[in-house]
Amino acid sequence: MKINSYIILLFTLSLASCQCNTKYHSYCSTSTGGWHKGDTLSYEIPSNLEKGEYIIEVGIRHSGIYKYKNIWIEVANNFTDSKKIKCDSIQLILADKEGNWLGKGISGLYQKDSLLTKKFTVTNSNKAKISVRHIMRDKNLPGIRDFGIKLIKVSN
């Protein structure tokens, strides 16, 4: 039992230490009626972003009228080559099995942050972009307000 507690403590401390290495953090708002299937949220990465290994933390802000416990998104970037786009499909869990929202919030507005576990290498930040779109079956997702991207540099 002590070993598990020790591992959890080390993991928590390593995550906390990563937060000071945030190199980019931005949110994009969806339209007032919700996030439409054809709407792609785009993030222009500064050209002076340091080369190296990064992890992505995503944040989603939603209201209580969002009708699902999860959301599937596609995250695309061109960090290694400005002409080649790499895409990942990711499921974000927003509520537990009983339907209780997992994010923090007040007055019916919630924010859920999720650390994506894959590391990636930035070799060229010139004209680098991240784009995000939802890949749910519904054409419109009422209740989704904002989506954010945070780039955290991994210490060597």
Side-chain angles (χ1 to χ4, degrees):
M1 188 67 168
K2 287 183 180 182
I3 293 174
N4 287 341
S5 298
Y6 182 70
I7 291 171
I8 291 171
L9 177 64
L10 283 176
F11 181 72
T12 305
L13 289 174
S14 68
L15 286 179
S17 66
C18 287
Q19 299 307 312
C20 64
N21 288 329
T22 298
K23 302 299 179 186
Y24 176 82
H25 192 195
S26 181
Y27 271 84
C28 289
S29 296
T30 63
S31 64
T32 55
W35 194 358
H36 300 286
K37 192 154 192 120
D39 292 346
T40 299
L41 306 176
S42 296
Y43 304 84
E44 301 279 333
I45 306 304
S47 59
N48 62 350
L49 185 70
E50 299 173 34
K51 293 179 182 181
E53 281 194 319
Y54 286 81
I55 53 177
I56 295 178
E57 181 179 280
V58 296
I60 190 164
R61 295 180 186 142
H62 65 91
S63 69
I65 67 166
Y66 183 66
K67 64 182 182 178
Y68 297 107
K69 295 178 184 178
N70 68 347
I71 185 169
W72 280 91
I73 59 169
E74 179 183 80
V75 179
N77 74 66
N78 63 344
F79 284 123
T80 55
D81 182 342
S82 63
K83 296 179 183 178
K84 292 182 182 177
I85 297 174
K86 181 181 179 284
C87 296
D88 285 317
S89 299
I90 300 157
Q91 177 184 206
L92 302 175
I93 306 296
L94 302 178
D96 62 19
K97 291 178 182 179
E98 290 77 36
N100 299 310
W101 297 117
L102 299 174
K104 298 176 184 175
I106 56 170
S107 301
L109 188 61
Y110 304 91
Q111 178 168 326
K112 174 73 168 80
D113 298 318
S114 299
L115 194 60
L116 305 185
T117 56
K118 271 188 180 177
K119 289 182 189 176
F120 66 96
T121 302
V122 172
T123 57
N124 180 14
S125 62
N126 190 25
K127 298 182 182 178
K129 295 179 185 176
I130 296 177
S131 61
V132 180
R133 66 184 186 100
H134 82 77
I135 51 175
M136 301 286 283
R137 289 187 178 131
D138 290 2
K139 290 183 181 180
N140 186 37
L141 299 178
I144 301 296
R145 302 278 181 92
D146 306 286
F147 194 89
I149 296 287
K150 183 189 288 188
L151 297 179
I152 303 166
K153 190 160 194 290
V154 178
S155 300
N156 294 342

